[in-house]
Amino acid sequence: MRMKRVLRLSIISMLVFALAGCGSNNGISKGNEAGNKGTTPGAPAVTEGDAPKELTKVKIALEWTPNTNHTGLYAAKELGYFAEEGLDVEIVQPGAAGSDTMVTSGEAAFGISAQEGLTLARLQGVPLVSIATIIQHNTSGFAAPKDKGIKTPKDFEGKTYGGWGSPAEEASMKAIMDPEGGDVKKVKLVSIGDADYFTAVKRDIDFAWIFYAWTGIEAELRGEPVDMLYLKDYAPQLDYYTPVLITSEKQISDNPELVKAFLKATSKGYQYAIDKPEEAAAILTKAVPDLDAELVLASQKWLSPKYKDDAARWGEQKLEVWKNYADWMYGLKLLDKPLDAESAFTNDFLPDNQ
């Protein structure tokens, strides 16, 4: 999974936000699903004489194709955690518009985004709010095949980086090179479009920006291991939240109990993935059979401990993380104005105990 694709979708979303109106149903509809053949697997059984439980239909838009960042959602659906909260959740891919736009327009009640994209959205007046971080620390960074000899950020000098042309790329590179005595101006920056990482590093470039949990693990399985330089290890301001669960301010205002119920079930799903990575991987593979089962399992084993990591509970977000990243971007003049970080996220809907 390439960073450039995820962030480019965020940028595209920003461009279309101005055209997005507020949907009338906020991604929610009513359905009498409990008594139908399509009842969510694992939902509480309806005994004779009981009235069928009416479930609220809710849509969540992914930010990318299904992968282990999303396992907790699929676990919550498969194991009936959503149904227990009275929800019939549909998990959809974002399409060209992107998950941010789907949530803004009301086409989806919830979505998956990233702190980078939501920061831009908030500064453009788009009323999106992060309600949980899926992974506690940033697992992305710059990766290069081991034979490229890139062991430290200073080793970027004289090498070719393949990206998508965002100012944030060079800024992030500079942030981790400067403390090591490196000069970002000595790095050749090229755009590689949608080229596959493994193809690009053999043909055009020396390193790229990836999520290790997917592309890095795939490299291991292919026998093509990488040297991975995690952003968070070199620059604290780059230890931001990616990905995050989002909703709209309107959803929070109009349906706070639904937001709370959704997060309660989702939290249980991610806790299941933390406790039982192998079983959780099997759930994801069953739900999305096109995925490589070996990659899913290996990725899940690596990622499961990192969902919660050192936080008191899954999903917990800190003000300093939101503020540090936005202040850094503003200081570089990559943002037009400071971010009101306190309004960009909330922990209020996370369950107290998991």
Side-chain angles (χ1 to χ4, degrees):
M1 191 196 325
R2 286 289 313 283
M3 278 294 302
K4 72 176 185 65
R5 175 66 172 168
V6 175
L7 293 185
R8 190 174 69 183
L9 284 174
S10 293
I11 293 169
I12 291 173
S13 295
M14 297 307 107
L15 297 177
V16 299
F17 275 141
L19 303 177
C22 294
S24 59
N25 66 350
N26 297 308
I28 307 168
S29 60
K30 286 289 185 178
N32 189 12
E33 298 295 320
N36 297 337
K37 292 182 179 179
T39 302
T40 305
V46 178
T47 59
E48 186 175 354
D50 288 343
K53 185 177 181 181
E54 186 177 31
L55 301 181
T56 300
K57 291 187 177 181
V58 176
K59 185 182 294 184
I60 177 169
L62 304 182
E63 87 291 14
W64 184 233
T65 54
N67 58 74
T68 47
N69 283 346
H70 313 133
T71 307
L73 296 168
Y74 286 95
K77 184 175 178 69
E78 172 70 16
L79 299 172
Y81 299 155
F82 285 130
E84 288 173 3
E85 298 302 319
L87 306 178
D88 177 11
V89 174
E90 180 185 8
I91 303 169
V92 301
Q93 294 186 44
S99 58
D100 291 351
T101 300
M102 292 178 69
V103 176
T104 303
S105 68
E107 183 179 350
F110 303 97
I112 295 183
S113 185
Q115 184 174 334
E116 314 99 291
L118 196 142
T119 295
L120 292 173
R122 295 287 308 182
L123 290 175
Q124 294 184 18
V126 181
L128 295 176
V129 180
S130 175
I131 54 175
T133 180
I134 291 177
I135 303 171
Q136 189 60 217
H137 294 283
N138 190 350
T139 61
S140 75
F142 296 109
K146 286 188 173 294
D147 62 5
K148 300 290 186 179
I150 298 177
K151 308 295 182 182
T152 73
K154 195 174 190 310
D155 295 330
F156 293 163
E157 293 183 353
K159 299 295 196 300
T160 300
Y161 167 77
W164 67 100
S166 165
E169 293 173 277
E170 183 174 348
S172 297
M173 206 176 300
K174 178 176 170 59
I176 72 172
M177 290 183 73
D178 282 354
E180 302 285 313
D183 182 358
V184 73
K185 296 303 180 184
K186 295 181 180 180
V187 182
K188 183 179 180 181
L189 309 178
V190 301
S191 176
I192 59 173
D194 289 325
D196 172 73
Y197 168 81
F198 297 100
T199 300
V201 293
K202 291 174 182 175
R203 187 186 64 192
D204 304 312
I205 65 170
D206 296 305
F207 68 108
W209 194 346
I210 69 169
F211 283 99
Y212 191 83
W214 198 255
T215 306
I217 296 297
E218 183 180 359
E220 291 182 13
L221 296 177
R222 293 167 66 127
E224 303 175 23
V226 300
D227 283 313
M228 184 76 180
L229 280 66
Y230 294 100
L231 298 176
K232 68 179 180 62
D233 292 344
Y234 296 92
Q237 67 270 27
L238 299 182
D239 190 14
Y240 50 78
Y241 298 127
T242 177
V244 294
L245 278 171
I246 63 169
T247 192
S248 64
E249 290 182 358
K250 179 175 175 57
Q251 193 70 256
I252 289 174
S253 175
D254 293 351
N255 302 292
E257 291 305 314
L258 181 138
V259 178
K260 184 176 181 181
F262 178 82
L263 269 188
K264 181 178 179 181
T266 299
S267 297
K268 290 180 67 176
Y270 277 98
Q271 189 62 51
Y272 181 87
I274 291 168
D275 295 337
K276 300 181 178 182
E278 293 185 7
E279 292 88 339
I283 288 175
L284 178 58
T285 303
K286 176 185 174 183
V288 192
D290 288 343
L291 292 176
D292 182 326
E294 183 183 15
L295 174 56
V296 170
L297 178 58
S299 174
Q300 196 64 64
K301 287 181 176 180
W302 187 87
L303 189 58
S304 281
K306 294 174 174 56
Y307 287 138
K308 181 179 176 182
D309 206 288
D310 55 359
R313 55 181 172 172
W314 175 84
E316 186 85 24
Q317 302 174 82
K318 300 180 179 68
L319 176 61
E320 64 191 66
V321 174
W322 281 89
K323 184 172 174 54
N324 287 348
Y325 178 75
D327 288 351
W328 172 72
M329 292 284 283
Y330 179 66
L332 293 174
K333 299 183 179 180
L334 296 176
L335 300 179
D336 294 333
K337 56 185 177 181
L339 174 72
D340 177 8
E342 291 188 11
S343 66
F345 77 99
T346 179
N347 293 316
D348 291 350
F349 298 95
L350 290 171
D352 293 332
N353 298 305
Q354 296 180 29

